Structure formats: C-alpha cells, structure tokens
Amino acid sequence: MANETAPDAAKSVIIEPFGEAGGREISLYTLTNKAGMMARITNYGGILTHLFAPDADGRFADVVLGYDTLQDYIDNSPYFGALIGRYGNRIGGASFTLDGKTYALVKSQGENTLHGGKTGFHGVVWDAVPFVADNGQGLTLSHVSPDGDEGFPGTLSVSVTYFLSDNNELQIDYKATTDKATPVALTQHAYFNLSGDLGSPITGHLLRLEADRFTPTDETQIPTGDLAPVKETPFDFRRLRAIGEEIDASDEQLSHGAGYDHNFVLNRKGKGLELAAEVEEPKSGRRMEVLTTEPGVQFYSGNFLDDSYRGKGTVFGKRTGFCLETQHFPDSPNQPDFPSTILKRGDTLRSQTLYRFSTVKNRR
Ligand code: BGC
C-alpha cells in the first residue's frame, strides 16, 4: 500500500494491521494530537473507527459508534464512520439524466440509490498515506472509481484527507476529478454520541443548526423539491435545544424518517468554511461544532439503529448515535433547482468539513 512509501511521515502515526478485505491487507491508523485527542481510521471504507475527545474535567472518551473488528464493518454496518460516495444520500428512482442520456444506477434502498449504491466508497479499500505536520497528524486516502461504477459515468479520482489538529479539530478535505461529467457528492457518516456512554440515547444532546429551511421528502425520503421554513415545526433548531424535545411529535415529515433524517439548507454567507451546527452534551460538557463549505447537512438521529449493532462492549440501539453529514442536497441530479452536483471533466471538486471539539462547564 502507498503508506509504505512514507516511512518518515509514518513515524508518529501508529499503523496496525486490521485484517484483510478484497485480497488486500487493511490497516488501522492512529492519529494523535498534542492535546491528547486520538482518531483511528481504517483504509477499508475510510472508516473513522474511534475518536477520543475530552469532557469538561479533561477525561477522554470515544465519541463515535463503531466496531472492534473489520469483519463486523463488512458484515453489518449502517455506514458507521464511513466515507460516502459517489453520491451521499439518495438519488430517486436510481436514475438521472445528464446531457440527454439516462443512467441507471444500482439500487440500494427500495427503488432508490442510497449512499452510492451497493458497493459505495464505504466498502472499497483506499490507498493510504499518513503524515505529520507542525500542527497535527493526518491521513490521505485515495481511490479511483472506474467508469460505470455502480452505474455512474466517468472515471472518478477521489482523495480524502483526515487531519487531526492540535486545536482539537478533525478536518476532512475532499477532492475529486473526472474524465466525463458525472454527479458527485461526498460525505462522512460518523455516528456521534458525546456522552462517553456509547450505548445511551442521544436525545438529551442539545443541537443548534444554522438553517432556516430544510428539504421535505416523500415517504421514500426523496426530496419533494421544496425548501420549507423550519419555523414553527419540529425542525426548528435555530436555537440550541434537546434533540429529543419534539422527535416523537406527530408530524408527517418526522414519520418519513421515523425521527430526524432530513437535509437542512444551511444559511450560507459565502463559499468558505462556515458554521453549520453545534452540539452539546450537558452531563459531560462535551461540545462539537461542525463547519463546512457544503450547502446542506443531513441531520440523522439514528432512528434505524437497532440491537443487532453491537461493538465496543455495548449495544447500539435506536437513537444511540446521531449523524451530521455535510452534503449537497439529496437527489440533486433530478432537481434542477437544487445546487448542482455535476462535476465536469477538467474541473476539481473541493469540499471541506471540520468537526471542532471543546467543552462547556456551566451547563451541568
Ligand atoms: C440516511 C438514513 C440512513 C442512514 C444510514 C443517512 O444518511 O439519511 O436514512 O438510514 O444514512 O444508512
């Protein structure tokens, strides 16, 4: 693998064997920062398997759901911590038309394509190069998805860099190029639980979203095309409040996702990195901010987790983790009014998301 070409850089990124997939040896990379935070990433699916962050008393705990073995990730994972592509979230009817040609995609949820098809980027083996910088440690993952992969046109070259900074930020940089126009929307599917008890419900976490609108869906979770105001709905997270406050309210949109599972339209000022979300866990005092260059964020409250997901000595039942997947809007290839997800030959897709960790003392 490519990482063997960078022995110097690898000196302080710990590399351990993590089994085998698709006839290739898989590794687990441990990034550590000067403040003691630690991120573990495997080149299978680019999965963030562990992330240790301090509470208000300086005690570190793992804040992401995940497994102990590679086989568990292969056998039964709801995309725990994985990189998602070629298209994060859903494409309706598993098809789209581009430049007069209709493409049929591999269906991965009913009639729709979810998270890039059956073998999306969450299930491929990435080439990995670890590195050490002045202000942190990182891992660059790269992958070439062949023309026609899961039905998508164009040879797509993707690289994703995870960087754990000494300021307690996990930064993710995405880059992609293609030899033929194609839709691309990349994201990261970590399930967070900031409490320090990964088997406990996340409904007591406080959430604020920088979003006045969201994209309502039909019952198969495909956007209707509307950008609906969150005001006076259970989707109003413009002020910090508990995720669980209205999660079980009788509401048609909530019923489509069995809770929150919707794309929020971020109130953006420009094109740079802007705050999208903040989350606080009152008991531990852990706080996470999400910044992104993307126009949307999928807030998923872990409604489809169930007792079959077991790892790290616990059971990941319903709503024990939440995701904040920064993204372009679902089904954009079929929605002319949504921001375009078409990457053209000669252009480079660049996208950045940052999960910043800190603590609050006064909320306990
Ligand atoms: C989707 C959910 C899905 C989850 C895990 C989220 O991005 O919006 O509907 O259950 O991923 O697959």
Side-chain angles (χ1 to χ4, degrees), residues 78-79 89-90 109 114-115 189 191 221 261 298 300 304 325:
Y79 306 90
N89 212 276
R90 295 172 177 80
Q109 189 179 61
L114 172 66
H115 296 332
H189 211 301
Y191 287 74
Q221 297 186 269
D261 188 2
Q298 185 84 9
Y300 171 51
F304 303 121
E325 301 152 66

